[in-house]
Amino acid sequence: MSEGITMPGEEHSAAPASGTEAAAPAPAPGTEAAPNPRGARTSRWLRMLGRDRAAAVGAVILGLVALVALFGPLVIGDRAQRQDLDASLRPPSLSDGVYGLLGTDVLGRSVLARLVEAAATTLSVAVPAVLCSLAVGSALGLWAGYHGGRRESLVMRVADVILSFPSLLIAVVVLYVFSPSALNIVLILAVTRIPVYLRTARAEAAELRSRLFVDAARTFGTPSRKIIYWHILPIALPTLLTVATLDFCFVMLTESSLSFLGIGIQPPEVSWGLMVAQGRQYLQTAWWITVLPGLAIVLTTVSATVLAAWARIATDPAQRWRLTLPTKRRGASAAVPPELIP
């Protein structure tokens, strides 16, 4: 055979015999490298979020609140606790600089600085409580829903016992007996919110355990913990995260209610609910002390609720097409698949 002819398959067998691998061929001039799948997925989610203006605004507000809670206390220092009785109950104005932009309270402390520090305190209670209840409740619910039988009955009866008592009443009783601190509030709220995730995860696992891919994994001898982790959890996770986003609103409002009643966050610490409680007697003369932290609570909870509704649709493959419609046609065509839309 002549030297210029190459038999089929010989180009694959011509790899170098040494232990080093051949260098990847450089892309031809004028061609671009393949896009990063993770970057493409992120850009797709951002485009879907941008199509829903309400969800985009909610995401921006929550992002700003998170940034303020993380870095705000480092910027203001002790400004939130600094008193100036000569500046008591000053209305919002620019004459006193940036810290007087939202006025002062009865002790002359900057309301702006206290709002920033209160954001960090409120989120430091709500976020750990939601994460703890999400982790424990989801783990127990997936385990009980997958195995069923007595395990499921035992776990569900424990959830029923916890749900039989109002969470706010339990928090009031426990915090009245023990010292009201941020750690105790986190533990109480986490325990009382576990049944929410437990029942949701149990329902998801009970429905998925009879699916074909789970039966196939079980046939090949895959341990149950790996089936739960690799096959059931990824499908149930979007629903659990949506529930967690909504539950974040409930936990934050509960913390604000406890602080308003005087058994939550205690001075010299400050939270949004405590600010509302401290300023309620000056509502007619200094409305900004109560209205501004109340407005912060409303904006944060509404933003989280709107974002949770968007996330529920975005993570559901059967409903995700709704977010691809133009805003004007989304309401009228909400129940019509895209292939049937004229």
Side-chain angles (χ1 to χ4, degrees):
M1 185 180 297
S2 60
E3 296 180 358
I5 301 176
T6 303
M7 295 297 293
E10 290 184 0
E11 63 275 8
H12 300 288
S13 61
S18 61
T20 60
E21 297 181 355
T31 61
E32 298 180 355
N36 185 9
R38 183 172 299 178
R41 189 181 302 112
T42 302
S43 62
R44 186 177 71 250
W45 282 92
L46 292 177
R47 286 196 303 269
M48 287 192 299
L49 181 61
R51 287 178 176 270
D52 194 327
R53 296 179 181 178
V57 173
V60 171
I61 293 176
L62 289 179
L64 291 177
V65 171
L67 290 177
V68 169
L70 288 175
F71 303 106
L74 301 178
V75 176
I76 64 174
D78 63 341
R79 190 77 186 193
Q81 306 298 335
R82 194 179 302 175
Q83 302 180 9
D84 184 5
L85 297 180
D86 294 333
S88 176
L89 299 180
R90 285 185 179 178
S93 65
L94 294 174
S95 59
D96 296 331
V98 176
Y99 291 105
L101 186 62
L102 300 181
T104 60
D105 63 359
V106 66
L107 297 178
R109 297 171 295 190
S110 171
V111 174
L112 176 61
R114 290 178 65 79
L115 280 175
V116 171
E117 186 170 337
T121 304
T122 301
L123 293 187
S124 67
V125 172
V127 173
V130 170
L131 292 180
C132 292
S133 56
L134 172 63
V136 176
S138 301
L140 290 176
L142 292 176
W143 175 77
Y146 175 78
H147 292 286
R150 295 181 178 178
R151 304 175 188 180
E152 182 179 10
S153 300
L154 176 62
V155 171
M156 294 308 298
R157 296 296 78 76
V158 174
D160 293 338
V161 170
I162 297 176
L163 286 176
S164 62
F165 298 95
S167 58
L168 185 60
L169 178 61
I170 296 177
V172 169
V173 173
V174 174
L175 291 176
Y176 183 79
V177 175
F178 300 95
S179 59
S181 61
L183 179 60
N184 290 338
I185 296 174
V186 170
L187 292 177
I188 294 170
L189 294 179
V191 171
T192 56
R193 302 311 295 171
I194 284 177
V196 176
Y197 305 97
L198 194 153
R199 295 167 71 94
T200 304
R202 200 273 319 168
E204 291 284 337
E207 192 273 333
L208 292 172
R209 67 185 177 188
S210 59
R211 293 286 186 91
L212 184 60
F213 60 90
V214 176
D215 291 337
R218 193 183 299 113
T219 302
F220 283 101
T222 306
S224 59
R225 64 179 182 276
K226 291 187 177 180
I227 294 177
I228 295 174
Y229 184 78
W230 292 109
H231 298 285
I232 297 179
L233 178 60
I235 299 177
L237 189 59
T239 302
L240 293 172
L241 292 179
T242 304
V243 174
T245 307
L246 294 173
D247 197 48
F248 167 79
C249 304
F250 178 84
V251 171
M252 192 175 68
L253 291 174
T254 303
E255 183 276 326
S256 300
S257 302
L258 293 173
S259 298
F260 183 84
L261 294 175
I263 55 176
I265 300 299
Q266 299 296 312
E269 296 182 0
V270 59
S271 68
W272 286 338
L274 182 60
M275 291 183 66
V276 174
Q278 292 176 343
R280 69 181 184 274
Q281 56 184 337
Y282 306 101
L283 188 58
Q284 295 182 351
T285 58
W287 56 267
W288 54 90
I289 303 178
T290 300
V291 171
L292 294 179
L295 185 61
I297 295 173
V298 171
L299 286 177
T300 305
T301 53
V302 171
S303 300
T305 303
V306 173
L307 190 61
W310 172 86
R312 184 65 189 93
I313 299 176
T315 54
D316 188 355
Q319 302 292 331
R320 192 178 300 163
W321 60 268
R322 298 172 184 264
L323 301 176
T324 62
L325 297 177
T327 306
K328 295 181 180 179
R329 304 179 63 181
R330 192 173 300 168
S333 306
V336 183
E339 60 270 11
L340 299 180
I341 298 176

